[in-house]
């Protein structure tokens, strides 16, 4: 759990390039996601954009597509700005 939130913090603070944070197995992760949305977001301890950093999926094909799409998007962004952060790729 600690590593999950550490990864999100690094993405938010732009210490690493944005990469997909995918939570596999919705039965396992749905309690956390509900708590984040219904408690943390409700009392404004997090912003809606924070939740957008997390993707939950039960479909390995969808997860592969998310990772590949993110890689291609980062590759395009690197062409536009070769000095952008490139760690965690």
């Amino acid at each position: 759990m600690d590593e999950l939130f550490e990864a999100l913090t690094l993405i938010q603070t732009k210490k690493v390039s944005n990469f997909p944070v995918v939570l596999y197995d919705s039965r396992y992760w749905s309690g956390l996601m509900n708590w984040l949305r219904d408690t943390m977001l409700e009392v404004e301890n997090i912003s809606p954009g924070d939740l957008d950093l997390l993707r939950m999926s039960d479909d390995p094909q969808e997860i592969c597509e998310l990772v590949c799409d993110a890689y291609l998007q980062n590759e395009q962004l690197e062409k536009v700005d070769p000095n952008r952060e490139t760690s965690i790729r």
Side-chain angles (χ1 to χ4, degrees):
M1 192 69 62
D2 182 51
E3 288 82 2
L4 169 64
F5 288 104
E6 178 70 20
L8 294 172
T9 299
L10 291 171
I11 293 169
Q12 290 172 313
T13 58
K14 301 188 185 325
K15 301 291 184 190
V16 299
S17 57
N18 196 340
F19 61 92
V21 178
V22 182
L23 305 176
Y24 178 73
D25 187 1
S26 61
R27 281 190 331 189
Y28 183 84
W29 292 106
S30 61
L32 174 66
M33 293 300 291
N34 290 338
W35 178 76
L36 289 171
R37 184 183 56 252
D38 299 339
T39 301
M40 298 296 283
L41 185 60
E42 183 70 26
V43 297
E44 299 180 351
N45 284 340
I46 62 172
S47 68
D50 295 335
L51 287 178
D52 293 340
L53 295 174
L54 291 167
R55 296 290 306 261
M56 191 166 43
S57 178
D58 294 315
D59 180 9
Q61 181 64 38
E62 178 187 22
I63 293 169
C64 287
E65 291 171 10
L66 289 168
V67 171
C68 289
D69 289 348
Y71 177 83
L72 293 173
Q73 182 181 13
N74 278 325
E75 187 177 53
Q76 291 300 315
L77 291 172
E78 200 171 289
K79 289 177 184 176
V80 173
D81 181 7
N83 296 319
R84 69 188 292 277
E85 178 58 53
T86 58
S87 59
I88 312 274
R89 281 205 215 144

